[in-house]
Amino acid sequence: MASYIKHTLAGIGLVAAASLAHAAPVTVTGVTTTGTFSGSTAVLTDSVFPANGTAWNAASNVSWNGLGTVFTLAFDQLYTLQDVTLTVDHNDFYQVQISQDGTTWNTLFTVLAFEGASTWGTDTFTSNPAGTGTYSASIDFAPTLAKYARIYAVAGDDAYSVGELSFTGVAAVPEPASLALIGAGLATVGLIARRRKPQA
């Protein structure tokens, strides 16, 4: 009996391990924009976080004046987003929204001005207490499905910038290796159940 329980738990563990995949960086396949700005959109997804206090209009950021400029990131597939790290100008308010289809958008969080560690220039925020940057509870969010994310300024001193917008998450469609692990776990549970079936 103890052996049966041990093997059953092992099979269930294989299934659970596959379904609880670790979050990894979300792959961005493109960035589209509306409005006028300076700099290259490549900096938004290059995994390089400008140092706190970097000038708002430095080459490491995209920068702009006035409201109405929007940067939209397209992911390579649907993800369950788990955390975010981003670099923005420290004395402005920015909104981050997500979408599954690129049409219907929901606000994920708003970055609050003067909430970070920097008193001038850029500031890096994270929703992961163990992550890089200043942890901010105001940008923490429950895991949520998205294939697109966008960021734009909503208020501030009329001089805005973003240096990075990076998400971690789990692919909504499991990778082949995860599917194989789930299959192996289910097969193990099935074999154990078959062995335990009473003989007629």
Side-chain angles (χ1 to χ4, degrees):
M1 183 65 172
S3 175
Y4 167 71
I5 292 171
K6 183 169 127 184
H7 287 95
T8 300
L9 289 175
I12 292 170
L14 282 173
V15 175
S19 62
L20 296 174
H22 293 292
V26 169
T27 301
V28 176
T29 56
V31 179
T32 57
T33 63
T34 61
T36 303
F37 62 94
S38 298
S40 168
T41 58
V43 303
L44 295 174
T45 60
D46 64 1
S47 300
V48 176
F49 299 91
N52 283 357
T54 299
W56 73 280
N57 57 354
S60 56
N61 309 319
V62 290
S63 57
W64 68 99
N65 297 102
L67 303 178
T69 298
V70 180
F71 300 91
T72 302
L73 282 57
F75 307 146
D76 65 333
Q77 62 181 300
L78 191 66
Y79 285 87
T80 300
L81 302 181
Q82 294 185 350
D83 279 301
V84 66
T85 304
L86 73 163
T87 304
V88 295
D89 195 18
H90 85 291
N91 60 345
D92 305 306
F93 295 82
Y94 299 86
Q95 193 141 91
V96 173
Q97 296 185 321
I98 50 147
S99 174
Q100 293 183 33
D101 58 10
T103 302
T104 303
W105 293 88
N106 297 301
T107 298
L108 189 61
F109 59 82
T110 300
V111 180
L112 305 177
F114 304 106
E115 189 178 41
S118 183
T119 57
W120 187 87
T122 59
D123 212 334
T124 298
F125 297 91
T126 182
S127 63
N128 180 354
T132 300
T134 301
Y135 170 71
S136 173
S138 66
I139 69 168
D140 212 342
F141 56 89
T144 186
L145 284 171
K147 192 173 187 302
Y148 303 90
R150 67 186 184 187
I151 185 168
Y152 54 92
V154 291
D157 64 358
D158 206 44
Y160 307 105
S161 69
V162 180
E164 183 73 19
L165 179 58
S166 177
F167 289 94
T168 58
V170 176
V173 177
E175 307 242 347
S178 295
L179 289 173
L181 192 56
I182 290 172
L186 291 173
T188 301
V189 172
L191 284 172
I192 293 167
R194 187 172 177 191
R195 284 185 188 169
R196 295 292 299 171
K197 193 173 182 182
Q199 298 296 322

